[in-house]
Amino acid sequence: MDNADMQRFLQQEQQKAMMGEMVGKLTSVCWDKCITGTPGSKFTSGESTCLTNCAQRFLDMTMIIAKRFEMQ
């Protein structure tokens, strides 16, 4: 493995770690916001809608922030 391959590998691993961290944060934030009480075997329609909207807003904001940093 040459230096360029090692750099690509490290960059890919860093991206995987960042994605894992983002998924964990998204799960925590949206779960706390949308799930009240003890969940049953299925989400209620309100919980499901809340989770979907929360996740979408989180991802949208992540993209906006990432683009903002790219411009600087």
Side-chain angles (χ1 to χ4, degrees):
M1 184 177 276
D2 66 8
N3 194 28
D5 289 337
M6 180 61 78
Q7 289 287 47
R8 277 192 294 278
F9 173 76
L10 291 174
Q11 187 176 24
Q12 288 172 344
E13 291 301 307
Q14 185 179 30
Q15 289 174 346
K16 287 179 192 177
M18 286 173 49
M19 286 299 294
E21 185 178 325
M22 186 170 75
V23 168
K25 192 171 194 174
L26 170 89
T27 301
S28 177
V29 167
C30 292
W31 184 271
D32 290 346
K33 176 183 171 91
C34 298
I35 307 301
T36 57
T38 305
S41 60
K42 291 184 175 183
F43 294 128
T44 67
S45 63
E47 290 170 335
S48 183
T49 300
C50 180
L51 287 168
T52 299
N53 291 337
C54 181
Q56 188 61 55
R57 281 193 307 273
F58 186 90
L59 294 173
D60 288 345
M61 287 307 300
T62 300
M63 293 303 296
I64 289 168
I65 291 167
K67 287 179 182 179
R68 179 83 170 158
F69 280 117
E70 286 176 4
M71 291 181 189
Q72 293 180 358

